């Protein structure tokens, strides 16, 4: 059974700092990995999707990497801003079922 | 594009009553919709997959008689929590799959906060 772990559970940084969020998964037979953002009491917004054959994806100040063999992904946020404050969720999809398995998320607070 | 709405955004009900949550795809037809449940500091857990015109497929451990899912049209799926109890209090999120896209390309609704007193 696939399990997704995210560390840290919470992170507080000053504005402007670069930061890294971590995601690990137990079964490396994934089809892709996604990073989502969730604001308090809201739904999910997809940030980046990395196919299993890819090593990284970039969107603006966000960069996500994938090391499928070791079961790890990182989300790098450059020059953090207070508006980046949210919970970041990592999810993987298996090659067979295509269902999404989520981690518990990392709650990020960027202080002005 | 690809907007999904949920109604209501919040609902408070008494124990023993039933509550219906609607999930709509506003600008596309969704042959498949998904219902998730999220407890505080826990992962999103898939409850069931809803296909238009057929019975929903429930995940292991989810009571189909308690969580009734109806996907009557290509733009609407409903989740009815029957005989709700305080332990059913949670954040329920739906998502929709656009035709022609993979199942893991899902567009999420804003969620519904259910509180059962």
């Amino acid at each position: 059974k696939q399990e997704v772990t995210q560390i840290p559970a919470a992170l507080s940084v000053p504005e402007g700092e670069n930061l890294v969020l971590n995601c690990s998964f137990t079964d490396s037979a994934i089809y892709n990995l996604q990073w989502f953002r969730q604001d308090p009491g809201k739904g999910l917004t997809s940030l980046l999707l990395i196919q299993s054959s890819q090593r990284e994806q970039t969107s603006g100040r966000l960069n996500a990497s994938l090391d499928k063999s070791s079961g790890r992904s990182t989300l790098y946020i450059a020059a953090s801003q207070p508006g980046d404050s949210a919970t970041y969720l990592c999810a993987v999809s298996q090659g067979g079922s295509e269902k999404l398995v989520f981690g518990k998320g990392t709650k990020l607070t960027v202080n002005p | 594009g690809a907007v999904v709405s949920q109604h209501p955004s919040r609902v408070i009900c008494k124990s023993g009553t039933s509550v219906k949550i609607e999930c709509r795809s506003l600008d596309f037809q969704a042959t498949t919709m998904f219902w998730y449940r999220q407890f505080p500091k826990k992962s999103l857990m898939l409850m069931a997959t809803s296909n238009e015109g057929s019975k929903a497929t429930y995940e292991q451990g989810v009571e189909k008689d308690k969580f009734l899912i109806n996907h009557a049209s290509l733009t609407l799926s409903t989740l009815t929590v029957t005989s709700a109890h305080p332990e059913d209090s949670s954040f329920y999120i739906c998502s929709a799959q656009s035709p022609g896209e993979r199942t893991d390309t899902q567009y999420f609704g804003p969620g519904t906060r259910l509180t059962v007193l």
Side-chain angles (χ1 to χ4, degrees), chain A residues 53-68:
Chain A
S53 59
Q54 297 175 320
R55 298 285 285 183
E56 65 177 343
Q57 281 287 329
T58 299
S59 176
R61 293 182 293 109
L62 306 179
N63 176 277
S65 69
L66 173 64
D67 185 342
K68 182 181 169 184

Side-chain angles (χ1 to χ4, degrees), chain A residues 11-88:
Chain A
L11 181 63
S12 182
V13 300
E15 181 177 4
E17 192 163 296
N18 302 325
L19 58 99
V20 174
L21 306 181
N22 298 289
C23 172
S24 62
F25 45 95
T26 54
D27 185 349
S28 62
I30 63 169
Y31 188 81
N32 62 39
L33 181 144
Q34 297 185 65
W35 284 93
F36 294 88
R37 170 183 173 140
Q38 185 177 28
D39 291 290
K42 303 292 184 183
L44 276 63
T45 301
S46 180
L47 298 173
L48 289 165
L49 183 150
I50 310 176
Q51 301 290 352
S52 62
S53 59
Q54 297 175 320
R55 298 285 285 183
E56 65 177 343
Q57 281 287 329
T58 299
S59 176
R61 293 182 293 109
L62 306 179
N63 176 277
S65 69
L66 173 64
D67 185 342
K68 182 181 169 184
S69 60
S70 68
R72 296 176 187 273
S73 175
T74 61
L75 178 65
Y76 175 83
I77 302 178
S80 59
Q81 303 171 358
D84 295 331
S85 298
T87 296
Y88 291 80

Side-chain angles (χ1 to χ4, degrees), chain B residues 71-96:
Chain B
H71 194 157
S73 77
L74 287 172
T75 60
L76 173 65
S77 176
T78 60
L79 168 67
T80 301
V81 183
T82 62
S83 187
H85 289 97
E87 58 266 30
D88 298 324
S89 298
S90 187
F91 193 57
Y92 293 86
I93 302 178
C94 74
S95 69

